[in-house]
């Protein structure tokens, strides 16, 4: 028996290219072992909710996971493919299910796929994923299905949409113009209909679910991927635009001028109105977020806590700290009010309702924010050994910087900071830097480039774009 390929087993989930790193055999094995783990504490009710995104490989991978799960005496509720990730988490909470499994590669390219699992209220720890990989590798024998209790919830997506319209039905969005861009992902035909159902005037683009993502890249955190959204906002005179990623759990917002807000600017605006943050409230921040967001929370009387990048780390910390929210730079916004779930449709509806009560456009609130001198993620392909060496060198410090090791190495000076960390989804190192001023940003970049000349070109290129 050949050993199972475990390259796709990451810190927070299982994710890789199909069919070499993720395939039906691997997913059947994972399903078998996950089912065995769940069976230890399963009762007579619904144990697990399972669904997936709209990628072409998702239906076959879902079937494989279910075939493995079905060998254990657990209750399985299958939602099928083409369901947004937030709807699957909502379904888990609504049913009071113990666990969930979601077949998706989120924002990754169409030839990728993966599996997100959660047993209980908290996401898995890295050691949980490693344990699942070890168990799945032990045997290629998949027991015959039959022990599980199995049922389908065919209309879960429609029920989720109806719930949203009902939940926000107390605020009419009549007169509000919104552009919705699901990017051919799972929010296609979902977000636009919910906004319209609440009375908004909706212009939709890339609103057709397509597992090839033929009209737009599934990653909504990249500004270039939002060009069509920004243009449509300007063309239609919309009040704002909202974009989603491949599985519908990340948000990107464009103001009425076509300007992309970014997660930090959006969060500051939310905390001042639509998602109030006040004295004593905790907010969890991605280690990569701007220092200006941290300051804004402090000015509101809140307490900002830094967190390692990654969906599982963030959600776990939001719940553990009873936080108002958690903000990840990639566009995940977790809300304590909905059990720590990251639901960008919910966020966009909160923003829309708040905007209808304002006497100024969204752009006026954006213009009042401090200017941020921060690069985007500088993602550089690098082998594990080279990343290890780079991180060790950074831990030694640089020009008097404070060294923080929450996630990778964060070097902090009075005038800004620089972060070097390992990507948890790709074989790359990620670098990001911010300065109080453009001069501070350039200075920090030059310090790092002088210490690590081979990376100087990438740093200089990123700083030069600002």
């Amino acid at each position: 028996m050949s050993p199972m390929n475990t390259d796709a087993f990451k810190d927070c989930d299982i994710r890789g290219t199909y069919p070499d790193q993720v395939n039906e055999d691997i997913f059947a094995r994972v399903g078998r072992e996950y089912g065995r783990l769940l069976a230890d504490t399963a009762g007579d009710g619904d144990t697990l909710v399972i669904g997936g995104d709209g990628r072409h490989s998702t239906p076959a991978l879902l079937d494989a996971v279910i075939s493995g799960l079905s060998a254990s005496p657990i209750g399985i509720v299958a939602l099928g493919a083409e369901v947004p990730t937030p709807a699957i988490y909502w379904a888990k909470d609504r049913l009071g299910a113990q666990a969930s499994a979601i077949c998706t590669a989120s924002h990754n390219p169409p030839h990728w796929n993966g599996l997100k699992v959660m047993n209980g209220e908290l996401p898995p720890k890295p050691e949980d994923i490693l344990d699942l990989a070890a168990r799945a590798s032990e045997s290629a024998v998949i027991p015959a299905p039959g022990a599980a209790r199995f049922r389908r919830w065919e209309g879960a997506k429609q029920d989720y949409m109806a719930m949203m319209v009902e939940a926000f039905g107390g605020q009419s969005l009549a007169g509000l113009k919104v552009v919705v861009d699901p990017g051919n992902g799972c929010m296609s035909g979902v977000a636009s209909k919910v906004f319209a159902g609440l009375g908004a005037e909706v212009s939709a683009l890339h609103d057709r679910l397509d597992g090839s993502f033929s009209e737009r890249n599934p990653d909504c955190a990249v500004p270039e991927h939002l060009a069509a959204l920004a243009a449509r906002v300007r063309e239609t005179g919309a009040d704002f635009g909202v974009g989603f990623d491949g599985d519908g759990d990340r948000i990107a917002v464009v103001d009425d001028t076509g300007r992309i807000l970014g997660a930090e600017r959006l969060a500051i605006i939310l905390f001042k109105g639509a998602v109030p943050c006040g004295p004593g409230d905790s907010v969890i921040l991605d280690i990569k977020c701007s220092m200006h967001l941290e300051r804004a929370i402090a000015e509101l009387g809140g307490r900002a806590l830094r967190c390692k990048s990654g969906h599982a780390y963030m959600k776990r910390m939001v719940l553990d700290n009873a936080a108002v929210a958690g903000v990840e730079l990639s566009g995940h916004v977790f809300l304590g009010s909905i059990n720590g779930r990251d639901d960008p449709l919910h966020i966009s509806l909160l923003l829309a309702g708040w905007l209808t009560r304002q006497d100024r456009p969204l752009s006026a609130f954006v213009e009042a924010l401090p200017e941020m001198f921060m690069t985007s993620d500088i993602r550089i392909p690098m082998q594990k050994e080279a990343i290890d060496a780079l991180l060790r060198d950074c831990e030694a410090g640089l020009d008097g910087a404070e060294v923080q090791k929450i996630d990778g190495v964060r070097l902090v000076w009075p005038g800004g900071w620089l972060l070097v960390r390992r990507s948890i989804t790709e074989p790359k190192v990620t670098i990001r830097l911010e300065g109080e001023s453009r001069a501070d940003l350039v200075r920090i970049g030059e310090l790092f480039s002088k210490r690590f000349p081979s990376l100087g070109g990438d740093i200089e290129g990123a700083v030069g774009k600002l």
Side-chain angles (χ1 to χ4, degrees), residues 13-77:
D13 58 19
I14 301 166
R15 194 180 309 189
T17 53
Y18 177 85
D20 56 328
Q21 294 180 336
V22 297
N23 54 51
E24 290 80 358
D25 174 63
I26 292 173
F27 273 38
R29 296 195 202 189
V30 169
R32 175 198 64 207
E33 296 307 324
Y34 192 41
R36 286 175 176 171
L37 288 171
L38 297 179
D40 291 339
T41 53
D44 296 330
D46 297 319
T47 310
L48 172 133
V49 173
I50 184 168
D53 65 19
R55 293 165 190 269
H56 296 311
S57 58
T58 292
L61 291 174
L62 272 178
D63 286 346
V65 177
I66 291 171
S67 73
L69 288 165
S70 296
S72 295
I74 60 175
I76 301 171
V77 182

Side-chain angles (χ1 to χ4, degrees), residues 170-185:
Q171 59 174 35
S172 171
L173 301 184
L176 195 74
K177 291 184 177 181
V178 182
V179 179
V180 174
D181 177 10
N184 297 137

Side-chain angles (χ1 to χ4, degrees), residues 49 125 157 184-186 252 269 321 329 350 353 388:
V49 173
K125 296 178 180 179
K157 181 163 66 174
N184 297 137
C186 277
I269 290 170
N321 289 274
L329 201 66
L350 287 173
D388 291 342

Side-chain angles (χ1 to χ4, degrees), residues 132-330:
L132 198 55
R135 289 169 176 264
S137 297
E138 287 176 359
S139 171
V141 178
I142 309 299
R149 304 177 303 279
F150 181 85
R151 68 185 177 94
R152 297 188 182 276
W153 182 359
E154 299 285 0
K157 181 163 66 174
Q158 288 70 32
D159 291 343
Y160 165 78
M161 294 165 63
M163 176 276 298
M164 281 292 189
V165 172
E166 181 179 356
F168 287 90
Q171 59 174 35
S172 171
L173 301 184
L176 195 74
K177 291 184 177 181
V178 182
V179 179
V180 174
D181 177 10
N184 297 137
C186 277
M187 279 294 178
S188 296
V190 175
S192 57
K193 290 180 180 177
V194 170
F195 268 102
L198 290 167
E201 182 180 332
V202 181
S203 175
L205 69 162
H206 313 142
D207 200 27
R208 173 180 63 87
L209 200 146
D210 174 9
S212 299
F213 300 101
S214 58
E215 296 176 312
R216 200 208 76 190
N217 188 289
D219 190 351
C220 66
V222 178
E224 290 81 0
H225 300 164
L226 302 175
L229 173 61
R232 180 71 66 88
V233 167
R234 291 190 293 266
E235 291 166 5
T236 60
D239 294 290
F240 77 103
V242 58
F244 303 94
D245 71 337
D247 67 329
D249 66 357
R250 296 186 183 198
I251 188 172
V253 172
V254 172
D255 73 11
D256 49 291
T257 70
R259 172 174 42 198
I260 300 167
L261 269 61
E264 294 112 327
R265 290 185 175 89
L266 172 62
I268 293 173
I269 290 170
L270 289 173
F271 294 150
K272 290 182 177 181
V275 183
C277 173
D281 288 336
S282 294
V283 177
I284 312 303
L285 299 185
D286 184 346
I287 189 68
K288 299 187 291 183
C289 282
S290 170
M291 54 193 174
H292 291 289
L293 175 53
E294 191 169 3
R295 290 172 187 169
I297 293 166
E299 289 169 3
L300 292 167
R303 179 179 66 136
L305 303 173
R306 293 281 180 173
C307 175
K308 190 172 183 177
S309 287
H311 173 278
Y313 300 116
M314 178 69 68
K315 184 171 182 177
R316 177 177 285 272
M317 199 164 171
V318 167
L319 293 173
D320 284 346
N321 289 274
V324 167
V327 181
E328 198 173 18
L329 201 66
S330 61

